[in-house]
Amino acid sequence: MNVKTDVLIIGSGIAALQAARLLGQQLQVQIVTKTSVDMSSSYRAQGGIATVTDPEDKTTYHIADTLTAGEYHHEKKHVEALINDGTKIIQQFLRDGLPIDREPSGEPALGLEGAHSHHRILHAGGDRTGQVFIDYLLKQLPSNVTINCYEMAYELLINTDGACIGVLTQGRHGIKRYFAHHVILASGGAGALYPCSSNYATNTGDGIALAFRAGAAISDMEFMQFHPSLLWCNGEAKGLVSEAVRGAGGIFVDAQRQPIMKGVHPQLDLAPRHVTAYTLFKKRVIGQETFIDISAIQHFEDKFPTIAKLCADNAIDIQNGLIPVAPGSHFLMGGIIADDKGRTSIPNLYAVGEVACTGVHGANRLASNSLLEGLTFGQKMAHGILQTGCKQNNFTVVYKVYKQPMPSLLTKEDLQQTMMHALGIVRNPNDMQQFTKQLPSLQSLQQVDISGLEQQDLELYMMHIVASLMVYAALTRTETRGAHIRSDKPNSEILWAQRWIIFEHGQMKVRNTLYEYHQTRRNAQAIL
């Protein structure tokens, strides 16, 4: 079955819907999502949206906090665009009636989260900000936006000029070929590569694998952020306990209710996420349980209804004031290299949201900047596409002949456990080297014939591509920076400052900038 449209969007989170809302006013838009619109990381986002609304706050403060949290591994002009343009976009949403939580005076109720210098987190529905925002955007979608649920994109279509013109999907209606003038990847992150994650099990990095297979440039894959507080029950992560809980007065404690973060960092329980996650990780390694003490938060159930229900569903009695938590994978700072208008290294292919790497999150994302990113760059990308128009007239697909059989893959469970062991919060070169020996080479994975595979097998294949990108990048960056902690190199190295590890067309390069500009290939090497 063939479907032709002006714009094709893979994914249905906040970046996808923001783009569709604007593009659909003038163009035909098809959205393809692997599950349903209520199963994105955006939809389940509890924390809120970081933006400057308080007169005591400034965008320069927000920019500084973002750069500090990410340890200055940024494309600074994109950070400035995120904060300055994002502030204006949120202000317009508020004028248009976005239903946020407010003080009795009518002013926005502003929360505080880790590594922020000011109260600037907007919430909606207590801890249901993502759900409220997604529902709000869905109601604003124009009639010529079509959402196709339960379809998995598995192959980008490239024309004879090297431009992206569509995608192959597999779903309830069989194989479909979508053709479009513009193809947008907004498929989210890869947290499900780990056994303990805040992500849905479907967040397997498909968009990154699709782009890599097509030859697009990928970067920052070594930087996976671990959230310090996932609800921990019966040896499993059951969901996220938002950082906003600590912003409201919750503190990390041990089983004896002794504070954990005292003496560790000046910001205590609101330290950057790599600091808090690492501190809890060390406690748990020596067999100590870790909790958030919420006894100082009045009316907890009213302020955090989602978390209260999550606890009740898992037989956690919050009346004693303790919520058991553990660190887990949360957000991938890396992805497909894109500019602030979503443009990638492949013409007519765009990336936005967590699947993209625009240099705004650095080595460790500042809390609640992710929803802001989706809205800001989703809008900037949409405006850029509308200015460009639909000019593609070459829809002749180059179908590559893939002769490589599928190599032996790890089971999903083994891959996840090995990811946590080799690429968890703390890493060492021996474990990572051993992991590379268990994985097929990226070259062989790139040449595999995947036609005819079922969704479960496609997911596992793509997870292996993403895992390989992550381990090679983590091995190459021989330092600790942000979320990337190496036991053999516990400090950051000046030689690695402002250096990016890039994968493109089967090669790995180390560059002095995220974007090509005038870089040479002297640092390029083949990935074996």
Side-chain angles (χ1 to χ4, degrees), residues 311-514:
C311 290
D313 289 345
N314 289 281
I316 302 298
D317 182 10
I318 61 174
Q319 298 307 312
N320 70 3
L322 294 180
I323 298 177
V325 294
S329 64
H330 184 56
F331 190 93
L332 181 63
M333 274 70 74
I336 307 158
I337 298 177
D339 65 11
D340 62 335
K341 293 182 175 61
R343 295 171 296 195
T344 73
S345 60
I346 296 178
N348 297 359
L349 178 67
Y350 304 79
V352 67
E354 191 176 351
V355 77
C357 179
T358 59
V360 297
H361 298 310
N364 200 23
R365 176 178 64 86
L366 181 66
S368 289
N369 268 0
S370 55
L371 294 182
L372 184 69
E373 176 196 18
L375 292 169
T376 304
F377 291 131
Q379 177 163 312
K380 292 173 75 68
M381 177 183 64
H383 287 167
I385 289 173
L386 290 172
Q387 290 174 0
T388 301
C390 296
K391 301 175 181 178
Q392 180 60 257
N393 52 27
N394 178 4
F395 286 95
T396 303
V397 180
V398 175
Y399 288 103
K400 296 181 181 179
V401 179
Y402 296 108
K403 298 182 179 179
Q404 192 84 14
M406 182 67 73
S408 177
L409 302 179
L410 298 170
T411 67
K412 183 175 182 178
E413 293 73 20
D414 286 346
L415 180 64
Q416 290 172 323
Q417 292 297 332
T418 309
M419 283 289 295
M420 195 65 205
H421 177 71
L423 291 175
I425 298 173
V426 180
R427 308 164 182 184
N428 68 73
N430 292 334
D431 290 338
M432 290 189 286
Q433 286 284 7
Q434 283 298 118
F435 191 21
T436 64
K437 295 176 182 178
Q438 296 175 263
L439 295 168
S441 72
L442 273 167
Q443 288 179 333
S444 67
L445 287 170
Q446 202 169 21
Q447 298 302 317
V448 167
D449 179 9
I450 59 175
S451 60
L453 293 180
E454 297 295 328
Q455 178 172 324
Q456 185 175 353
D457 296 324
L458 285 169
E459 275 191 344
L460 184 62
Y461 162 75
M462 291 180 177
M463 290 172 74
H464 276 72
I465 290 178
V466 177
S468 297
L469 294 171
M470 292 175 71
V471 70
Y472 279 112
L475 266 170
T476 302
R477 183 174 290 278
T478 53
E479 65 160 357
T480 287
R481 186 176 296 274
H484 184 88
I485 299 171
R486 284 187 54 150
S487 59
D488 62 318
K489 300 284 185 177
N491 301 309
S492 59
E493 301 283 346
I494 190 137
L495 291 175
W496 277 105
Q498 293 296 296
R499 303 276 277 173
W500 276 266
I501 299 166
I502 315 291
F503 298 91
E504 187 175 14
H505 294 303
Q507 287 190 320
M508 182 172 68
K509 298 173 281 186
V510 180
R511 293 202 307 235
N512 296 327
T513 175
L514 183 59

Side-chain angles (χ1 to χ4, degrees), residues 195-217:
C196 180
S197 177
S198 66
N199 291 198
Y200 281 108
T202 51
N203 285 27
T204 49
D206 303 348
I208 295 168
L210 281 173
F212 173 78
R213 188 172 160 93

Side-chain angles (χ1 to χ4, degrees), residues 48-49 51 53 90-91 93-104 106-111 120-126 128-130 132-133 136 375:
I49 300 176
T51 190
T53 57
I90 296 299
Q91 288 172 346
F93 270 107
L94 295 180
R95 287 193 292 269
D96 290 343
L98 176 71
I100 63 166
D101 296 342
R102 295 182 179 273
E103 301 288 357
E107 293 297 313
L110 300 178
R120 64 167 70 99
I121 314 301
L122 295 177
H123 295 273
R128 294 185 291 111
T129 306
V132 170
F133 225 119
Y136 183 83
L375 292 169

